[in-house]
Amino acid sequence: MIKGFKIKESTIIKNDWKATKDRPTIIENDNITEYISQNENGTPILDGEKLINDWFPNSSDKNIFISHAHKDAQLVENFASFLENQGLKPFVDFEVWGRCTELIKKINDEFNAVCGEKNAYYYSDAQSISANIYIILVTALNKMISQCSTFVFIESNNSIEDDYTYSPWIMEELNTFNILRCNNQMKKTYLDSEGYVTFNVAVSFKINDIISSLKEIEDQTCLFKILR
């Protein structure tokens, strides 16, 4: 049964939970085009299964899923590094985000570029490419949550505001945890196209009911007692 906890940003900062040694570097500049082939009509085919298997660790490598706002990346990096230094095995999704963004650009550059224009792509195809990549990412994240025995939500001004989150990704992760906890199956996904359109629409989700069900980690004694 997956266990769920929440921890405030202020608690991490107050306890100075950060790495005492450097965390292993995530390699982002590998040959991501190896996941792309073309059929006889010239249509690019992305091997989603291979991508997920290569980019995401298996269940024996990670057992703590950390849900967080992407604006808190440095805070989460410090916290995850601290946990690793204590012999724990956290997973944070920003380890694959850079590669995901690079893959989307590579596909657009090679198969969807407007002739004679720099960094210009056909809109509908660019949206389809982004959506498909993000669906792969959502699928992999949900799989990671189901494989981990512990779910930890980082509560900060960036992740929750007046009982709401404005991140579809956080809502997806919390919903997945909540449904797994209730022994159901997750069948809903959210797509985020931020960075690929000329405007941004904020989307809100009320998450207080889920957050209130999570036990709060308040100090180091509590942290190690429940995460080990």
Side-chain angles (χ1 to χ4, degrees):
M1 181 66 177
I2 187 170
K3 301 174 295 183
F5 303 94
K6 61 185 175 183
I7 184 168
K8 288 185 171 63
E9 172 189 17
S10 58
T11 300
I12 296 175
I13 295 173
K14 179 183 70 175
N15 287 280
D16 196 28
W17 287 335
K18 58 186 179 183
T20 56
K21 60 183 179 181
D22 291 338
R23 196 162 183 245
T25 302
I26 302 300
I27 300 175
E28 296 186 359
N29 295 321
D30 52 354
N31 182 22
I32 57 177
T33 55
E34 69 179 289
Y35 300 102
I36 307 170
S37 60
Q38 288 180 273
N39 64 16
E40 58 185 14
N41 297 320
T43 301
I45 306 296
L46 177 67
D47 190 336
E49 183 176 0
K50 177 174 173 57
L51 186 149
I52 290 175
N53 290 337
D54 288 355
W55 288 15
F56 286 81
N58 59 46
S59 58
S60 64
D61 294 329
K62 305 291 181 180
N63 58 16
I64 301 172
F65 187 96
I66 301 179
S67 178
H68 64 94
H70 289 288
K71 289 183 179 179
D72 294 328
Q74 187 57 60
L75 174 81
V76 176
E77 169 72 12
N78 290 339
F79 182 55
S81 298
F82 172 77
L83 295 179
E84 285 185 345
N85 290 167
Q86 308 303 315
L88 300 170
K89 299 184 288 186
F91 172 80
V92 286
D93 62 4
F94 59 68
E95 295 178 347
V96 297
W97 267 99
R99 301 169 76 188
C100 179
T101 303
E102 185 181 353
L103 178 60
I104 290 173
K105 188 176 188 310
K106 282 276 190 180
I107 296 175
N108 275 305
D109 285 341
E110 294 193 20
F111 302 102
N112 190 39
V114 177
C115 184
E117 300 289 338
K118 184 178 181 180
N119 295 324
Y121 313 114
Y122 293 100
Y123 178 82
S124 60
D125 289 338
Q127 290 296 295
S128 177
I129 290 169
S130 298
N132 287 334
I133 299 299
Y134 284 132
I135 286 175
I136 293 173
L137 184 59
V138 167
T139 300
L141 289 176
N142 288 344
K143 181 180 178 182
M144 282 301 305
I145 294 173
S146 70
Q147 290 177 345
C148 289
S149 59
T150 303
F151 180 94
V152 177
F153 174 70
I154 307 297
E155 189 172 344
S156 73
N157 291 334
N158 293 319
S159 64
I160 184 171
E161 181 180 342
D162 296 328
D163 297 341
Y164 286 82
T165 185
Y166 292 86
S167 167
W169 294 100
I170 287 178
M171 187 62 211
E172 173 70 16
E173 292 165 1
L174 287 170
N175 260 337
T176 299
F177 160 75
N178 196 43
I179 292 174
L180 286 172
R181 183 183 58 176
C182 298
N183 295 319
N184 291 321
Q185 295 182 345
M186 184 65 192
K187 295 184 178 180
K188 181 168 61 174
T189 60
Y190 297 100
L191 304 181
D192 181 3
S193 58
E194 183 178 358
Y196 298 96
V197 292
T198 57
F199 62 90
N200 183 37
V201 177
V203 182
S204 67
F205 302 93
K206 191 168 185 178
I207 59 174
N208 185 56
D209 289 345
I210 300 176
I211 298 302
S212 62
S213 71
L214 302 178
K215 182 176 180 180
E216 184 170 352
I217 300 172
E218 298 180 336
D219 54 44
Q220 187 159 310
T221 300
C222 179
L223 175 71
F224 292 133
K225 182 179 180 180
I226 62 182
L227 295 187
R228 287 193 183 278

